[in-house]
Amino acid sequence: MIVDWAAYEMGLPRADILGPSREARYFRARAAIAWVVRHALGFSMPRIAAVLGRPNHTTTLNQLRRAAVMRDRDPAFLMLTDKLIERVRQEQGQ
């Protein structure tokens, strides 16, 4: 669900977000998804890597670190991740 929501919000194809591209727009999408899944759902890094179709959790660690920086420095990224967290909470009935 979160991957689909991020794809919609960012205007990116789901398959491209989950694909191998290292383009900034796909990295941003994956970083946003990783941050939301970690903070809203408490998933482990290996589980987040699996959600994003990544081979190991070290990529997830990098995404989470960079997402924290982007949330501090990029108002659009902050708004995106906050919006995604709100959707997760609504879906969970919180």
Side-chain angles (χ1 to χ4, degrees):
M1 261 185 312
I2 296 171
V3 175
D4 292 330
W5 295 338
Y8 174 79
E9 292 296 332
M10 297 183 77
L12 299 172
R14 182 182 201 277
D16 290 346
I17 291 172
L18 298 176
S21 177
R22 293 181 177 212
E23 284 184 49
R25 59 188 171 163
Y26 302 121
F27 177 84
R28 282 175 62 87
R30 289 189 291 263
I33 293 163
W35 194 91
V36 169
V37 170
R38 178 72 169 180
H39 292 277
L41 301 174
F43 281 20
S44 68
M45 283 187 270
R47 190 166 176 198
I48 296 168
V51 166
L52 293 171
R54 296 299 175 255
N56 62 59
H57 72 280
T58 57
T59 301
T60 302
L61 179 60
N62 180 49
Q63 290 167 339
L64 291 171
R65 287 179 181 157
R66 300 236 343 243
V69 171
M70 287 189 281
R71 279 182 53 87
D72 286 341
R73 296 182 182 170
D74 183 345
F77 189 83
L78 176 65
M79 285 177 38
L80 171 65
T81 52
D82 284 351
K83 188 172 191 176
L84 293 174
I85 282 194
E86 183 58 32
R87 288 195 72 177
V88 169
R89 290 182 178 149
Q90 287 174 356
E91 194 71 23
Q92 292 179 331
Q94 295 179 354

